[in-house]
Amino acid sequence: MKNVALKVIENNQIYKNTFLLKIELNNSLTNAQPGQFIMIYTSLNFEPLLGRPMSIHRVNHDKKYFSILYNVVGKGTKLLSNKINGDIINVLGPLGNAIPFKKESMNFLLIAGGIGIAPLIWFADKLIASNKNVVMLIGAQNKDSVFPLNEIDQQVEIEVMTDDGSLGSKGLVTEKIKHYMEWVDEISLCGPEGMFQSANRIIGTSKQIPAYALFEKEMACGIGICYGCAIKDKDGKPNLICTKGPSFELKKIYG
Amino acid sequence: MVNLSINLNKSGKQDLILPNPVLVASGTFSNALELSKYKDIDHLGGIISKGTTINARSGNDSPRIIETPSGLINSIGFQNIGINSFIRDIIPIWGKWKVPAIVNIMGNTIPEYGILAKKLDKFNSIDALEINISCPNVEAGGIEFGQDPKQAANVIQEVKKHTEKPCIVKVSPIVSNIQELTKALQANGADAITVSNTYPAMEIDINKRKPTLGAKFGGLSGPAVKSMTIRNVYSVYQVATIPIIASGGIMHTEDAIEAMMAGASAVQIGTATYLDPDAPWNIIDGIETWCKNNVINDINDIVGCAVE
């Protein structure tokens, strides 16, 4: 596990406030799996001080790069957005664990809220490659903040929900879950915690289907030594998102 | 060959010799198991456990971390597995390592410190205890033990009753007179002193109009505090008869050298490890290179050399 300097290949604003950063692939990241993340260090002069934990969006083994999808929200991501082709950036990873799923499951429902779509696109790629059926529910503020749908594997069935109804139907992405409860074998979610809680209420009232959500919390190290990213489960027991997660089963956290 | 080894307990019954002056700060390295998967732990000057209490603690609610200008406020809330699990699950692993191993202990009451010391005393693989006195004294209404030299002296006396292991006392940086505290600690049996714990700090979320951290208050660390560490180490060195370990904002080799020139015999690396897991190892190599470049044959020669 080493903090390594890697070359930026491309860094473009692909929609609204969201950038796609492509970074050269090194040996350790070649083995990354969907759900894992990296710490990315936006500055080497302590301002800002800490790395930013970010999901790996996709790994392209043929073209030898991996990508990060991120919103510009603060100092660190602003600096990151200024990186250009050829710049060097420090990265630690892959960290955390892959999104778990059972080999025998066939029907997958992926639920993405906002930038939470970042790791699920790649997970969908992998599921389609294993001949699974994938439905992806995408929730966003409005049509401008929806990930480009043509960048998602064509075999994925997509439903979009926006807060203002400017694309797809109007409302919360979790409202769609009930239509798939008879069909689905496993559910994966990434987005705000409010979305997880609402999903848990809907899933919990129906049959018991494994539903794994990718959590995030303020995190200083990414490797299990700072204890900043603990999330308490339904019994009050702390779980470090970086080393035990980032995927946890909803019922483990919320009951 | 540069001599990097230092002795943190020259006057005590048991020596506490570190192969080099670089320790990892309590609470910033978990119990060393995570990094032992990737790194040679035995190359470190010493390891220090997470703050260990009588009972396991689940820690504070999130957010537990806030980034500040060149710094970091944490309020982890002493999440730890408790002394019995530590003895059962960690000590057998530590026993296989050669690295000097120090357990950081924290009590709610003075007798609790004694219980913790006694439980650890019988383990040969534990080389020393580090005593956190920057925690609320429940019996005295919540004032930190370390805020009152008399209470701090009582803690070290109690610990010493139950162990012959070298005892390092980790002090708070915000005390009315750190020299008086140092004198009280060394007069009552402290073998070394860690200067210091984090700086009490908080931030307000102006959108929510409330404290940002789940536990409201936390401790500031990182490059932002280094100059204050240097000042406190310098002050302590002027009255200390026991070795000093500098802790707070040491990010690079040069910071470690600076702290040693201010009077520290050893340093602790904390926040720097969050930015780069190799930091403690890089600083060890850096100190050796610095000594060679500056024709220093023994690292002990620079300790306190800047103190007038």
Side-chain angles (χ1 to χ4, degrees), chain A residues 117-132:
Chain A
I117 198 165
L120 294 182
I121 301 274
W122 186 28
F123 187 46
D125 293 345
K126 292 254 172 175
L127 292 173
I128 293 292
S130 318
N131 298 313
K132 308 294 186 190

Side-chain angles (χ1 to χ4, degrees), chain A residues 1-3 41 46-50 52 92 217-221 223-228 230 232 236 238 240, chain B residues 27-28 30 34 38 50 58-65 67 69-71 76 79 223 251-252 273-276 278:
Chain A
M1 195 51 53
K2 210 165 173 57
N3 181 328
Y41 303 90
F46 305 144
E47 197 46 50
L49 181 69
L50 301 172
R52 272 43 182 163
L92 180 72
K217 291 273 183 207
E218 295 73 11
M219 184 183 290
C221 69
I223 53 174
I225 57 174
C226 80
Y227 286 46
K232 290 187 182 169
L240 296 186
Chain B
T28 68
S30 188
E34 289 75 8
Y38 316 110
K50 259 194 88 64
S58 59
N60 290 332
D61 288 336
S62 54
R64 292 174 165 195
I65 298 260
E67 192 177 51
S70 298
I76 306 305
Q79 181 185 327
M251 308 299 286
H252 295 309
T273 315
Y274 299 160
L275 278 55
D276 182 355
D278 285 327

Side-chain angles (χ1 to χ4, degrees), chain B residues 218-230:
Chain B
L220 180 66
S221 67
V225 309
K226 187 207 74 180
S227 311
M228 295 188 281
T229 301
I230 300 299

Side-chain angles (χ1 to χ4, degrees), chain B residues 30-88:
Chain B
S30 188
N31 286 323
L33 305 194
E34 289 75 8
L35 283 177
S36 71
K37 292 177 206 157
Y38 316 110
K39 301 289 299 176
D40 179 11
I41 295 290
D42 284 338
H43 191 57
L44 294 170
I47 53 172
I48 308 180
S49 76
K50 259 194 88 64
T52 301
T53 50
I54 300 259
N55 296 310
R57 292 202 192 183
S58 59
N60 290 332
D61 288 336
S62 54
R64 292 174 165 195
I65 298 260
I66 324 173
E67 192 177 51
T68 67
S70 298
L72 159 68
I73 308 177
N74 86 80
S75 69
I76 306 305
F78 297 100
Q79 181 185 327
N80 81 96
I81 56 178
I83 189 67
N84 291 337
S85 298
F86 185 87
I87 288 169
R88 190 187 61 225

